[in-house]
Amino acid sequence: MADRIKYEADYHGTRELMTSPEMLACMGAAAEQGKQFAVSISPRRTGEYSESFHVEGSTAGGPNRDRAEARLTNTSSHAADVEWRNHGGMRILGKTVDHIEAHGAD
């Protein structure tokens, strides 16, 4: 009979991993790729919307502020209109989330 492996969680080590510079870089790379995708599918009537995407990273993310995160935002004054109301609800950021989840930081 094979020996059983006993696993003990290392919560301190997991937290170190989840807030490491490498994890932050990984999250940032995925968000930057998402930004490129979002810009590529954005309407170009004035260019303001497509030029208003920004990526911000933090090692105090998540519900318990204990993991790296990267956020892709659009600061255009009409971002909500592009996302939901105008253009039949283009869902640029929604489609971008789907893209990031499917491709990560290829």
Side-chain angles (χ1 to χ4, degrees), residues 61-74:
N64 296 321
R65 300 186 161 287
D66 62 351
R67 63 196 68 198
E69 73 174 8
R71 293 181 183 212
L72 173 62
T73 59
N74 188 294

Side-chain angles (χ1 to χ4, degrees), residues 10-103:
D10 179 356
Y11 297 108
H12 177 74
T14 300
R15 179 172 282 195
E16 277 187 27
L17 173 66
M18 296 301 288
T19 59
S20 69
E22 294 84 2
M23 185 63 72
L24 182 58
C26 182
M27 298 294 105
E32 286 291 344
Q33 186 178 54
K35 177 181 173 181
Q36 291 176 358
F37 176 80
V39 169
S40 76
I41 65 170
S42 293
R44 293 288 197 295
R45 196 158 143 201
T46 66
E48 179 192 351
Y49 179 80
S50 64
E51 295 171 3
S52 297
F53 286 101
H54 304 280
V55 172
E56 300 170 351
S58 169
T59 55
N64 296 321
R65 300 186 161 287
D66 62 351
R67 63 196 68 198
E69 73 174 8
R71 293 181 183 212
L72 173 62
T73 59
N74 188 294
T75 58
S76 168
S77 62
H78 57 277
D81 288 337
V82 173
E83 191 70 11
W84 298 112
R85 297 180 202 125
N86 292 341
H87 312 290
M90 295 189 79
R91 286 191 62 250
I92 302 298
L93 289 171
K95 290 175 184 175
T96 301
V97 168
D98 294 342
H99 177 81
I100 292 170
E101 289 179 348
H103 300 283

